[in-house]
Amino acid sequence: MSDFKKILVIGSAGQIGSELVPELRKIYGNDNVIATDLNPTPCAKIIDFGPYEILDVLNREALTTIIKKYGIDCIVNMAALLSATGEKNPMLAWNVNMNGLINVLEVSRENGIKRIFNPSSIAAFGPETPRDNTPQDTILKPKSMYGVTKVAGELLADYYVMKYGLDVRGVRYPGIISHETLPGGGTTDYAVAIFYDAVKTGKYTCFLKEDTMLPMMYMPDCLKATIDLMHADKSTLKHHSDFNVAAMSFTPKTLTESIQKYIPGFSIDYNIDYRQAIADSWPRSIDDSSARAEWGWKPSYDLDAMTQDMIEALKLKHSKGLI
Ligand code: AKB
């Protein structure tokens, strides 16, 4: 299956980490996936079923100690500040996103780590990039600090592949939609919040304009992309840490229309803020033909399939008083 056995997930309490850890534990066994985060009280799904350690990705010594303690041979680095939070505190975004990654790459080099997964994002693109069907290899001149760290991170990761032979991999995540853990501090977060508000109140106030089209993906496809790339045969990969992956693109208006198929009375209004400028600098749709050709990427969910699933899951949570 794979040449690694003990996986360390850094930043495991976030939106993606909190669902990736249980998925990896299903494949590798509960004790072989070590979840870590700054958060002392992550969700039960993370702490109740396997090892959990508090870890700051900026603390290289603590990172090394955990690698040696558990005999780690694969690292997934999900610790990052996202685009909106990054604009509020650019230096913190640079510090966590870049120095965190440098720590991961350096300890990997020193400790013979066999595989590293470090995500990039559609934020790596900028206003000069072609916005429709954005190519794999194209202009990378982002205007957000988050985007700057993602481009620098892709280049740094590829440098470690070339210079030291480390096996670093990553995809450029679009906006990720899910119902387990809320995203924190992204520009695409509206596409999650809208579902919670649709189920709880039947209305939503959106911070992006109704015609802002962005690439998005449902969590099951995000997990599949992550795990499939982690497991891909190295000899078929021409790219490493910067794969475009696509599933769907929609605007707040088309998402509203999709939600209205399941919640007919749902209504939306708009109160645009600083995140509009970030969204306006990002692609509308993504060409993921390299990921399809190099490791067989294929998404499963389209907009209506995702909407139906999200609403069912959140209605259940709402009926139990969980949201
Ligand atoms: C964000 O909005 O910042 C993230 C991303 C697209 O990387 N969801």
Side-chain angles (χ1 to χ4, degrees):
M1 175 189 36
S2 60
D3 53 349
F4 53 87
K5 293 186 175 59
K6 284 263 178 184
I7 307 171
L8 174 67
V9 183
I10 304 170
S12 68
Q15 184 196 14
I16 300 175
S18 63
E19 297 205 44
L20 182 63
V21 166
E23 215 52 38
L24 289 173
R25 283 181 175 155
K26 271 189 222 158
I27 303 170
Y28 289 89
N30 285 349
D31 292 340
N32 294 323
V33 180
I34 291 71
T36 67
D37 201 282
L38 277 176
N39 186 345
T41 52
C43 62
K45 269 180 117 178
I46 300 289
I47 38 173
D48 286 358
F49 300 100
Y52 182 78
E53 301 261 4
I54 294 176
L55 175 68
D56 181 349
V57 71
L58 296 176
N59 187 340
R60 197 183 292 186
E61 214 179 297
L63 183 53
T64 304
T65 304
I66 289 177
I67 287 171
K68 289 190 193 306
K69 176 175 168 187
Y70 291 98
I72 298 296
D73 56 6
C74 170
I75 301 180
V76 178
N77 178 31
M78 292 291 171
L81 262 72
L82 300 184
S83 56
T85 317
E87 285 319 287
K88 291 201 168 139
N89 199 339
M91 278 305 103
L92 184 64
W94 176 267
N95 191 23
V96 173
N97 297 6
M98 291 317 303
N99 292 324
L101 175 59
I102 287 169
N103 283 349
V104 168
L105 294 171
E106 277 297 290
V107 298
S108 295
R109 192 172 66 78
E110 290 161 3
N111 292 279
I113 300 298
K114 291 183 178 147
R115 187 136 318 144
I116 300 117
F117 184 89
N118 185 72
S120 186
S121 159
I122 55 161
F125 301 115
E128 284 128 293
T129 310
R131 292 189 69 200
D132 294 303
N133 216 18
T134 299
Q136 171 68 44
D137 301 306
T138 184
I139 302 164
L140 299 174
K141 293 175 84 178
K143 296 289 176 265
S144 69
M145 178 53 89
Y146 175 59
V148 169
T149 67
K150 286 298 158 191
V151 174
E154 289 180 0
L155 293 173
L156 191 64
D158 281 357
Y159 177 81
Y160 273 73
V161 173
M162 186 188 65
K163 176 97 176 168
Y164 302 113
L166 270 190
D167 191 347
V168 196
R169 304 178 183 191
V171 298
R172 291 172 175 147
Y173 286 136
I176 305 298
I177 290 113
S178 65
H179 51 75
E180 284 292 333
T181 307
L182 283 166
T187 300
T188 58
D189 291 10
Y190 92 84
V192 179
I194 193 172
F195 283 105
Y196 280 73
D197 283 9
V199 167
K200 288 196 292 187
T201 67
K203 55 184 190 322
Y204 177 67
T205 301
C206 187
F207 56 78
L208 296 183
K209 288 185 198 152
E210 65 170 17
D211 59 351
T212 310
M213 175 154 323
L214 288 170
M216 301 277 183
M217 184 178 283
Y218 195 30
M219 183 59 88
D221 279 332
C222 168
L223 300 176
K224 184 171 176 296
T226 306
I227 294 171
D228 284 359
L229 179 56
M230 284 173 72
H231 288 166
D233 180 352
K234 194 180 176 191
S235 66
T236 67
L237 302 183
K238 294 191 189 73
H239 296 84
H240 298 279
S241 54
D242 59 359
F243 280 101
N244 280 5
V245 283
M248 62 184 100
S249 283
F250 56 75
T251 65
K253 187 165 186 278
T254 49
L255 178 56
T256 298
E257 285 159 6
S258 179
I259 293 173
Q260 283 166 341
K261 290 182 192 161
Y262 306 96
I263 305 177
F266 174 64
S267 68
I268 187 164
D269 60 11
Y270 296 88
N271 185 12
I272 310 311
D273 71 18
Y274 69 100
R275 288 168 280 193
Q276 184 66 47
I278 302 174
D280 286 343
S281 74
W282 287 356
R284 281 187 285 255
S285 61
I286 298 287
D287 172 6
D288 61 1
S289 48
S290 293
R292 288 174 186 256
E294 291 177 41
W295 48 277
W297 161 245
K298 195 170 178 287
S300 299
Y301 283 85
D302 64 12
L303 175 55
D304 283 343
M306 174 189 77
T307 299
Q308 188 177 3
D309 212 58
M310 280 292 287
I311 289 173
E312 273 169 22
L314 289 176
K315 274 188 172 165
L316 188 65
K317 275 190 161 183
H318 192 47
S319 70
K320 292 179 178 167
L322 296 171
I323 60 165

